Amino acid sequence: MDALVLTGHVMSLNNVRQVARDGRKVYIDPQVYEALIETRKAIYAMAEKECPIYGFTVGVGWNKDVKVCKTFFEEYNTNLVYAHCVGISPYISDEETRAVMLTRLNTLLANTTGVAPELAKMYADMLNAGIHPLLPERGSVGQADVGCNAFIGLAMIGEGQVRYNGSTMPAGEALRQAGLRPIVLGPKDGLCIVANNGLAAGQGAVTLYELKEFMLMADIVYSMSLEGLGGNTSPLLPGTHKVRPYRFQVETARRITQMIEGSYIYRPTPGKALQDPLSFRGVAQIHGSAWHAIDYTEQLLGIQLNSTDDNPCYLPELENFFSCANYEPLVWVLGFEMLAVALSHVSKSSCLRTIKLSDPDFSGLSRFLTPNPSTICFSTLQKTFAALDSEIRHLSNPSSVDGLPIAGDIEDRHTNAPYAVQRVRKILDTLRYIFAIEMMHAAQALDYRKGLPLGKVTGEAFALVREHLSFYDKDRPITPDIEAAYALIKSRKLLELLE
Amino acid sequence: MDALVLTGHVMSLNNVRQVARDGRKVYIDPQVYEALIETRKAIYAMAEKECPIYGFTVGVGWNKDVKVCKTFFEEYNTNLVYAHCVGISPYISDEETRAVMLTRLNTLLANTTGVAPELAKMYADMLNAGIHPLLPERGSVGQADVGCNAFIGLAMIGEGQVRYNGSTMPAGEALRQAGLRPIVLGPKDGLCIVANNGLAAGQGAVTLYELKEFMLMADIVYSMSLEGLGGNTSPLLPGTHKVRPYRFQVETARRITQMIEGSYIYRPTPGKALQDPLSFRGVAQIHGSAWHAIDYTEQLLGIQLNSTDDNPCYLPELENFFSCANYEPLVWVLGFEMLAVALSHVSKSSCLRTIKLSDPDFSGLSRFLTPNPSTICFSTLQKTFAALDSEIRHLSNPSSVDGLPIAGDIEDRHTNAPYAVQRVRKILDTLRYIFAIEMMHAAQALDYRKGLPLGKVTGEAFALVREHLSFYDKDRPITPDIEAAYALIKSRKLLELLE
Amino acid sequence: MDALVLTGHVMSLNNVRQVARDGRKVYIDPQVYEALIETRKAIYAMAEKECPIYGFTVGVGWNKDVKVCKTFFEEYNTNLVYAHCVGISPYISDEETRAVMLTRLNTLLANTTGVAPELAKMYADMLNAGIHPLLPERGSVGQADVGCNAFIGLAMIGEGQVRYNGSTMPAGEALRQAGLRPIVLGPKDGLCIVANNGLAAGQGAVTLYELKEFMLMADIVYSMSLEGLGGNTSPLLPGTHKVRPYRFQVETARRITQMIEGSYIYRPTPGKALQDPLSFRGVAQIHGSAWHAIDYTEQLLGIQLNSTDDNPCYLPELENFFSCANYEPLVWVLGFEMLAVALSHVSKSSCLRTIKLSDPDFSGLSRFLTPNPSTICFSTLQKTFAALDSEIRHLSNPSSVDGLPIAGDIEDRHTNAPYAVQRVRKILDTLRYIFAIEMMHAAQALDYRKGLPLGKVTGEAFALVREHLSFYDKDRPITPDIEAAYALIKSRKLLELLE
Amino acid sequence: MDALVLTGHVMSLNNVRQVARDGRKVYIDPQVYEALIETRKAIYAMAEKECPIYGFTVGVGWNKDVKVCKTFFEEYNTNLVYAHCVGISPYISDEETRAVMLTRLNTLLANTTGVAPELAKMYADMLNAGIHPLLPERGSVGQADVGCNAFIGLAMIGEGQVRYNGSTMPAGEALRQAGLRPIVLGPKDGLCIVANNGLAAGQGAVTLYELKEFMLMADIVYSMSLEGLGGNTSPLLPGTHKVRPYRFQVETARRITQMIEGSYIYRPTPGKALQDPLSFRGVAQIHGSAWHAIDYTEQLLGIQLNSTDDNPCYLPELENFFSCANYEPLVWVLGFEMLAVALSHVSKSSCLRTIKLSDPDFSGLSRFLTPNPSTICFSTLQKTFAALDSEIRHLSNPSSVDGLPIAGDIEDRHTNAPYAVQRVRKILDTLRYIFAIEMMHAAQALDYRKGLPLGKVTGEAFALVREHLSFYDKDRPITPDIEAAYALIKSRKLLELLE
């Protein structure tokens, strides 16, 4: 892939994925870089005039009445980075760290900060060199993730720890090996590094693109379950969706229809139930609702990824800084709060379907899909997904509004943006287990449907599953199979079937 | 106002408000009515063929294997209405009842149910006559609000209780007085009456239009507080919003700017804080986020209001019924879940501002805005809004995913749609108190700014407030003032200032 | 009943019930009254010395630096009562109001407040005369319920509204009719009236004694269900409880055993399931767990009811006031938080049993207990209890830790004690509906067991139920039956069967 | 230490700590062992008679109608262990694993299971040899933690993975190295291994003893803060507690009083605030409330640790098995639910105190305790504890009632006992960070009180803290200090000061 040209305005989830996960290089648009240089000059001119600018010529937070003398710009900004290194473990993955850095780099290019252009370039250089500061994920109340972002600044001045070339090492050493020089912090630079929602936005972007991939696989697993059950296809008919035109409900129904194209379940079957349980019948609606929530969150996070969250905000046309509240991420944090609830529905529906696959009254197959009465098979496994579903239910409780007024009662509200995102990430990972177990059941059920034609995609999916875990012909420890099924979903191999 | 012509496709929140609150008459589009007649004929033709149709020629729920003999259509459908009268108190308001009936009437016109055309007309007749069945609001798990809706059917056949002309009376009596005849239920009619999300959608529509009205008043109250505090206007500058273009953030900032146009707070003031607390600075963002959540919910509820949620669904082009999951309201229920959290932020921010107005360090005014040291004034009043804010926080917890598999494990999932809506309605009402108290503080603060010019809207708002409650010159019981301020907000008189 | 002699140290739930619900008269122990007089003298002596005493010679809350001049005691204390009238609707019942007043009266007798003895007597006089101030239940953060309690003070000085002899009237008028004179407030009296957890403690006591009564009835309903199902009695055997000696589990099992003594379910029955569903099998454990939580809460609330929660606290032996934190009710509020969760288990178990009673696979009876296939019977009714159970689940979320630092950051924590209690009260009322519906099912099932001997208590209970609602032989609106069953439980008539 | 003699009846938290954490050896009381042998004989006699016994001569769960033929005891029980290996990662610590094994071993000795005596001995042998099976902590709904416990059985038959002598290895290999032979499973043995609440009870015991240790340290940290603030000691006076005799409130006040004995804060100080913020004033009450909740939980968990939770339950006196519900842990799970809320109060109070220590208006010290105006010091650090406190608030939401009916609707309720415990464990670990940060502030404040005498314990504590982290004389990255302070608390060294 070519390097991604950054302008501050074209960031998408796909771009983030390419840079964060696939290691795509980045490159700052030269024209944009020029603009940064111009602004920087204007900033220096202002500094001469000694008007109080938050985080520039005066301190931050409650210390906004403390003056910063010009000759101490480096010392002040270094201290600012130091004093903002307050986050605590656990530390985020390299993929997430890249997303965080990319996110901040891109919004710097919106040119409302007065940042040193070399500092912007340093983000690009470190990304391209693969130098990844160790970033803690706890310690932000979600009005700019200063306590985490500061560790990027620490690495940039050659301090703290980074991951580089597969090992953890001092930042200074990694910069040296990569042929980069530590930066010297000038006025406003400390604030530019820390005062943004980079952690939450970066983790949020990674979580969202992983979630979108997962939801496609969830449709495949459902399709296998529907075939495993021998269920009704009428709830997927285009006509019944056209009359209730929720965009993603319609799309989900269409996608599932394509997955089961050619399946035996379209054949008329005497004795088939007139209607399946709601957890089977309503998947286009349930998954569709989750997609609506994803879409809402993606659109609003998209604006965050492509615009400034700096305060004060420099407006070139007015040649001045203005106090504002652009650090406020509530609008898309609410999206994540909603997503948590939406995914709890996705989870519970999966569990309910798995229960039906185990129940002869619904599936017409053996109890717990056992190959014979003396095998216990999936009986106990129900406890696993039931327990995980309760965890997801618990994680779906909101958190954004909880918090304490701090900083002399000035920072009196919060969003806990990183925690909102991290909860969804945790839900997503747990969902992988839930659907792994549904997939184990669906495959076991399909083994009892041998000889019947399966759908275009589900047939291949069933074969792929059986490459990774075999039919339960007799009791064996089940945990290894769960982990294998989970790994298959995590690997995204099922996605290749959709291409 | 002319009668509203109903087609099944043009319902908006405004329409609902006009019919539900203002008593606008309704009228079924004749062409649409013709289509209902055609479908009804087709249904009767199907009944001859004895193919099993859910809720028509066979029973509902777990009883879907029980046949309904043609000669017993009336008895069966009457029994169905009886057995679905399972909701419990409290009973909803006439305005809400009208919204519920209008909602169902309009979706019947989508012509996917096979309902008796006379039954559709009965909704219109009762609305126009002002006959309002007593509808209980508890007893639905939010996959069609059957246990509430059934009471409409009960009234239509002349049983149960209704409110009419200001009194509660037997339905049969009210119909007689209004010159209407009870209907006779035919095939499928019972299901048409009960099996829809009318309660949640109707209450949801009322809640949403009231919320939108409230949010405009919340901006006015905030604007008064900003003047009361003598705060900064820079966070409202168009430039700082243009660079972070969240639509409703931008609009809110613009609206507030218009409200305070001409205010003294635009004057340069020596000693003014460089930045106000986040609860003041971020209102465009916080209220804007709530508006985004409202917009999301309104759009998705809008589709519900204009399309069928019937199962099975009759498709005229295929001349048959199809089992589906269109009863599933999850997509917009998630909107209400999100709204609950959004409004919790709106509430907490208001409380935090009120605290600042009481604090000399922020306002430069007397402690608790007391007129003199020997008056206690608003000291204790802080407990009231703090307690109410905790209630809102509690109400903001989600509920949609909780539930028990019922109906022989077939109705295995839920949304608790009515409860989701009712929680937001309760939050909204509590918010009125929260902002009433903020308004009391803002007005008291503005009294200390006498002589300074106020904004275009805020000046009038201040005058209006002072018509309803007077300056606290000495201690007096405060509850009557809270109730007066609450009543002023509830009356929507502040809205007139925006016209 | 004789008048209850109050000493400050013998209050129990039973006493509260007798005074609050049954109207028992109260009488202050003369020796205790003497002690109040002695303390009052000491207080006046202190006032001469002008040492600052919170709420006495200086103001309260953030105003604790404002001096109160001796000559203005009445005016200051009247203002204090006025300024603390900040609670809002709804207003609590007379029974609850009596409990609130009794609670405060009794803790005043602990003699740590320096209250005017006449003021203590005024509580007794108003209780005995049946003058009940209108008390709002919202507006306290649960560190003393000042905003509600103040309305008692308002009535005592002859202002505000009270209920008396069945009507609502001005307090002054009621006092006059009852031959009482308004009191004149002296030093510290305002604080004595407002600064205590009377609202939460009083409502808490009422809620607890009602809950204890309900839990006994819940055992009866369960016993009927067990017979309705034809379930196993082995989980009630003393031997299986002796080996796991949780006190209330053991007691519950013993109580239920007595209720079903002589029942047909002790007969050996071929084909009976080896084990019943957990919701049937574990009732001694589930209800027993709730009793443990009740016992914990009752013990800790009992200390509250019998000791001071005043700050500052007057210690006669040291002849001085001391600042303390005895207003803190957290210890028993946590009991209510736990109770909410415990009762959510009680609720869900009831619902699960009702589902089993409707399921032929478990009960061996007809589906939904229908008398014949063409009757829908209790099919839809499942939605009612499922919806109510979700409400209880939602109410069981904690709230005590949520809140805002107020009063100049001095009152920085909360317990929301009244809301904690009110949530349990609401849960309890909803539980009555849940068990009313279980009782309807159990009775319907027992009708199908006609001729078989029922238990000692359950037989009578079944007969009592059938006096209030009849067998479902054909479909009829079900809501009236739910309300009748609810009313029967609310009436506590079932309790008489245990005497 | 001598080996602990196990009888089934003397288990305490202290015993669990000695065995689980300190590696104390265990030894089965010979008389008790004899009783196991007798019971085992009786069991075999029953097996001859072919009466159906759950999990013995018939299957478990929904398979309770499947017969287990005598000649297949080993195969059936091995399959049972296999099929119950359904738990998933993460895996618990060796200390926790030891607690789980000890817990189950002890309850086996209650002699209600019919277990093979050699199997009981195998627990003791593995504990004494230090062979620790890898136990997953997710996958139990808290009605016996079968999916985790099965991995103990797997190791006992020489399969699966264990930790031994510092490495992870196949169980068979570890047994060989330790000179132990894999066991052969006989009738009922599989069920004895899996069907108990060992995971939750074992983790619960570890969590509780760690929590009790922590709470003592929390008192020390508070005492340092009180000195750091220069606060009031009057709320600790025995007299003000005697009048409100909550046992643990009284004890906490007494303990803190001993810690600050001799401190300068007892000196009269002109200008000292009359009353401190509630978060300072109410610590005896807040921590005392947590101790009440701990005591409740410990007492009820204590019964669990010393009695059977087996179903069916063998009663020697009746010479038979009886179906029961002794697997139900709700009673002590509710204790953990309450504890979660109690600790949320403990957390928030700590944060509020730390805020006050940073605020000159309360402490009389420099803003954010900075050594000079140009140092940022602890300004940003407020975000860290605020974020962590929100996490704790989120974790304090209940979970026990959430779940899905499984096993053919027979296992229809849950407690999620392990998750309830794990949430408290997570809260506890986060609390260590919260108090670590309070301790950093207290120590920094005390540095400004140099020369003034500190309390008996607090003086030593301050010195100990300063051994691990130094005064902030200029800005430096703060995270390393947080981690050092956390490690100090985790090390329990502060506890030594209390001995």
Side-chain angles (χ1 to χ4, degrees), chain B residues 62-63 65 85-87 138 151 367-368 382-384 390-391 394 397 402 406-407 411 416 419 478-479, chain C residues 62-63 65 85-87 138 151 367-368 382-384 390-391 394 397 402 406-407 411 416 419 478-479:
Chain B
W62 202 359
N63 292 317
D65 51 4
C85 284
V86 298
R138 296 199 290 174
F151 286 80
R367 200 193 283 169
F368 298 122
Q382 300 207 332
K383 299 182 204 333
T384 307
S390 292
E391 281 194 34
H394 186 257
N397 288 314
D402 299 325
I406 52 176
E411 299 178 17
N416 297 316
Y419 192 57
I478 297 180
T479 298
Chain C
W62 201 1
N63 291 318
D65 51 3
C85 285
V86 298
R138 296 200 290 173
F151 285 80
R367 202 193 281 169
F368 299 122
Q382 299 207 333
K383 299 182 205 332
T384 307
S390 293
E391 281 194 35
H394 187 257
N397 288 315
D402 300 325
I406 53 176
E411 300 179 15
N416 297 316
Y419 193 56
I478 296 181
T479 297

Side-chain angles (χ1 to χ4, degrees), chain D residues 100-305:
Chain D
V100 172
M101 294 177 74
L102 175 66
T103 293
R104 165 77 292 203
L105 168 52
N106 192 58
T107 60
L108 278 176
L109 304 186
N111 195 15
T112 62
T113 64
V115 72
E118 303 76 24
L119 180 59
K121 195 166 167 304
M122 188 66 169
Y123 280 94
D125 290 345
M126 286 174 69
L127 277 170
N128 291 341
I131 298 177
H132 306 135
L134 286 189
L135 303 187
E137 80 176 22
R138 296 199 291 173
S140 166
V141 297
Q143 305 279 138
D145 310 318
V146 298
C148 164
N149 298 333
F151 285 80
I152 299 174
L154 201 63
M156 285 179 167
I157 60 173
E159 302 187 25
Q161 297 284 308
V162 300
R163 284 199 212 88
Y164 178 59
N165 273 342
S167 19
T168 298
M169 63 178 73
E173 175 60 20
L175 292 178
R176 205 189 49 75
Q177 287 186 20
L180 295 172
R181 278 205 307 208
I183 59 167
V184 174
L185 295 168
K188 191 89 190 348
D189 288 346
L191 198 62
C192 287
I193 292 168
V194 304
N196 59 82
N197 297 289
L199 172 65
Q203 285 197 310
V206 173
T207 299
L208 272 191
Y209 66 65
E210 291 201 345
L211 177 58
K212 289 173 73 176
E213 293 167 339
F214 171 79
M215 286 302 296
L216 293 174
M217 294 187 278
D219 284 347
I220 300 176
V221 173
Y222 164 68
S223 299
M224 293 170 69
S225 287
L226 187 63
E227 289 184 319
L229 186 83
N232 285 286
T233 57
S234 117
L236 296 167
L237 270 185
T240 61
H241 293 280
K242 206 177 64 182
V243 296
R244 194 168 165 88
Y246 287 107
R247 176 181 158 200
F248 293 103
Q249 166 183 337
V250 173
E251 284 186 14
T252 304
R254 185 188 310 135
R255 194 162 46 230
I256 293 170
T257 302
Q258 290 166 349
M259 289 174 180
I260 57 172
E261 191 187 320
S263 172
Y264 85 96
I265 51 171
Y266 281 103
R267 299 178 187 172
T269 311
K272 189 180 268 203
L274 189 57
Q275 299 199 112
D276 297 320
L278 306 195
S279 56
F280 270 95
R281 215 189 308 163
V283 168
Q285 282 81 355
I286 300 162
H287 288 196
S289 299
W291 279 106
H292 273 281
I294 290 169
D295 183 60
Y296 180 76
T297 311
E298 181 175 354
Q299 282 189 33
L300 296 174
L301 183 66
I303 295 175
Q304 159 78 42
L305 294 175

Side-chain angles (χ1 to χ4, degrees), chain C residues 239-282:
Chain C
T240 61
H241 292 280
K242 206 177 64 183
V243 295
R244 193 168 166 87
Y246 287 108
R247 176 181 158 199
F248 293 103
Q249 166 183 336
V250 172
E251 284 186 13
T252 305
R254 185 188 310 135
R255 194 162 47 231
I256 294 170
T257 302
Q258 291 166 347
M259 290 172 180
I260 58 172
E261 192 187 321
S263 172
Y264 84 96
I265 51 170
Y266 281 103
R267 299 178 186 173
T269 312
K272 189 180 269 202
L274 190 57
Q275 299 199 110
D276 297 321
L278 306 195
S279 56
F280 270 95
R281 217 189 306 163

Side-chain angles (χ1 to χ4, degrees), chain B residues 450-464:
Chain B
K450 280 245 167 82
L452 295 172
L454 301 184
K456 210 172 61 174
V457 172
T458 49
E460 290 183 49
F462 175 56
L464 184 62

Side-chain angles (χ1 to χ4, degrees), chain B residues 379-401:
Chain B
S379 163
T380 316
L381 183 50
Q382 300 207 332
K383 299 182 204 333
T384 307
F385 61 74
L388 295 178
D389 182 60
S390 292
E391 281 194 34
I392 288 176
R393 169 66 186 83
H394 186 257
L395 288 164
S396 76
N397 288 314
S399 165
S400 62
V401 85

